Amino acid sequence: MSVGVLFTQGLVTGEPRRVLAEILEQAEVADRAGFAAALTTEHKYSDEYFGSPLPLSFAIAARTERVRVGTAIAIAPLYNPIELAQDAAMLDQLSGGRAWLGLGAGYMPVDYSTVGVPWEDRARRFDETVRILRAAHGAERFSFAGDLYSFDDVAVIPRPVAADGIPLHLAAWTPGGLRRAGRLGDGWITNALMSLPTMTAMADTYRAAAADAGRSPHVTAVRFCWPYTSREAALEKFGDTALAMARTLFDYGAITDLPGVGSSAEITLEEFVRDRFVFGTPDECVETIRRFSDDAGVDDFLMVFRYPTGPHHAAVVEAMELFAGEVMPHVSAPAVPA
């Protein structure tokens, strides 16, 4: 099992140049402390998230030496697939083979309308984009004929470092998306706030699809995380921002497994601490991680230590270092340089 870090900041965090500098510093902390990855995400129209995950990944790659760099996730249907293949391969070359590409279809129509891509054919566009990336990274030249895209005898330059291309992990939480992840992906990425029982059921669906496709399954769980030595201080630094983020994601439509909850105002922090967050003393964090591993078969984790609204940078660095020093030695295999 490995543990990486995922960055989810945007304009509401603060002045963009300062926030981006803090992300790069946190990526350096992750690199030094032994985390396996320092990845980015996106929405195209949101104050809570920056909308250019690959350029930020290039900056992270330039400031780090060991961690995997890339996305979890980029909204694949919003990109020209050849340009996405080229940018990912360039990231892989510049980072010395450390690129890791998490892709999703997205769940907010405004992301699509912002860049002028039809919402209605997103599943088909996602499917074809993943297949094109496989072809582009796996051969010196390739052709492709689909319903939406057609390419004849084209090449992606440069190609990735490894002959078999860059790992492609697919996010999903619908039956069709889970089947797609099993059929086309190197792994499945959960969303950040699904409950443990929901994750377990979806993991079973995904693994069955991977088995049908002859692929080895791999589950990567995204979790909001806050280790602490003082519960009172943790609730002060983490509690309000965590609850605000959970309510925001509920309003976005990203949380669908809260039976009986009709509005975001009804959500409580206790609900999420119980089986959605990795929150507590180092020993409690270890127990939670092992429970997700045992029950849902999680192979790797991506931890979110900072929401768009906080905690502040110094507290995040402190939490990352506490987690690396007192949690990871009990749950994580030693990271291997790319």
Side-chain angles (χ1 to χ4, degrees):
M1 180 189 299
S2 70
V3 181
V5 179
L6 178 61
F7 302 112
T8 62
Q9 282 73 69
L11 297 178
V12 298
T13 314
E15 194 276 325
R17 184 169 182 175
R18 176 181 62 79
V19 175
L20 290 167
E22 290 172 354
I23 289 174
L24 295 180
E25 184 175 336
Q26 289 166 28
E28 290 178 323
V29 171
D31 200 48
R32 292 194 306 268
F35 287 91
L39 304 179
T40 60
T41 190
E42 71 170 329
H43 282 293
K44 292 300 185 188
Y45 189 81
S46 170
D47 286 345
E48 284 91 4
Y49 295 83
F50 291 123
S52 301
L54 280 167
L56 181 54
S57 296
F58 278 98
I60 290 171
R63 296 277 289 267
T64 58
E65 297 180 353
R66 185 190 51 77
V67 287
R68 286 283 194 178
V69 293
T71 61
I73 53 100
I75 306 173
L78 305 186
Y79 293 81
N80 176 289
I82 297 300
E83 290 184 323
L84 180 59
Q86 289 174 331
D87 289 347
M90 181 65 79
L91 176 64
D92 198 49
Q93 287 288 346
L94 286 173
S95 66
R98 291 187 282 135
W100 195 96
L101 208 56
L103 304 173
Y107 56 90
M108 294 178 64
V110 69
D111 285 324
Y112 283 72
S113 61
T114 296
V115 297
V117 173
W119 167 255
E120 293 73 21
D121 63 8
R122 64 193 181 280
R124 184 170 47 169
R125 196 175 293 272
F126 186 22
D127 190 288
E128 290 192 14
T129 296
V130 175
R131 290 159 56 200
I132 290 165
L133 286 168
R134 292 281 189 206
H137 288 165
E140 290 188 7
R141 308 191 69 84
F142 79 100
S143 299
F144 180 89
D147 295 330
L148 297 171
Y149 297 107
S150 180
F151 302 101
D152 183 39
D153 193 31
V154 299
V156 165
I157 301 172
R159 290 177 61 203
V161 172
D164 56 352
I166 295 167
L168 301 179
H169 294 250
L170 308 186
W173 63 75
T174 65
L178 292 164
R179 290 192 295 271
R180 182 188 303 111
R183 176 168 48 89
L184 296 177
D186 294 311
W188 168 53
I189 307 172
T190 76
N191 78 9
L193 287 174
M194 62 174 58
S195 68
L196 176 54
T198 297
M199 185 186 298
T200 301
M202 288 189 178
D204 290 342
T205 300
Y206 157 70
R207 289 194 188 91
D212 289 344
R215 289 186 170 276
S216 297
H218 191 100
V219 175
T220 298
V222 180
R223 295 287 91 176
F224 291 123
C225 178
W226 198 258
Y228 63 72
T229 54
S230 163
R231 185 177 184 86
E232 182 178 273
L235 289 172
E236 180 182 347
K237 294 176 183 176
F238 171 87
D240 288 345
T241 57
L243 186 57
M245 191 62 193
R247 289 173 171 170
T248 295
L249 289 173
F250 181 88
D251 289 336
Y252 281 175
I255 306 173
T256 58
D257 59 346
L258 279 171
V261 174
S263 73
S264 58
E266 300 173 32
I267 294 174
T268 64
L269 184 62
E270 290 74 17
E271 163 70 29
F272 284 82
V273 167
R274 184 167 59 251
D275 73 346
R276 298 171 196 257
F277 291 151
V278 177
F279 176 82
T281 65
D283 286 344
E284 289 170 336
C285 289
V286 169
E287 189 277 331
T288 300
I289 290 169
R290 287 177 176 167
R291 186 154 44 92
F292 274 86
S293 178
D294 293 342
D295 292 2
V298 173
D299 297 290
D300 296 314
F301 286 84
L302 293 172
M303 299 302 188
V304 180
F305 290 93
R306 190 184 202 185
Y307 305 93
T309 54
H312 62 80
H313 172 61
V316 171
V317 170
E318 182 180 355
M320 289 175 63
E321 290 175 339
L322 175 63
F323 187 95
E326 298 193 28
V327 179
M328 285 205 305
H330 303 286
V331 300
S332 178
V336 179

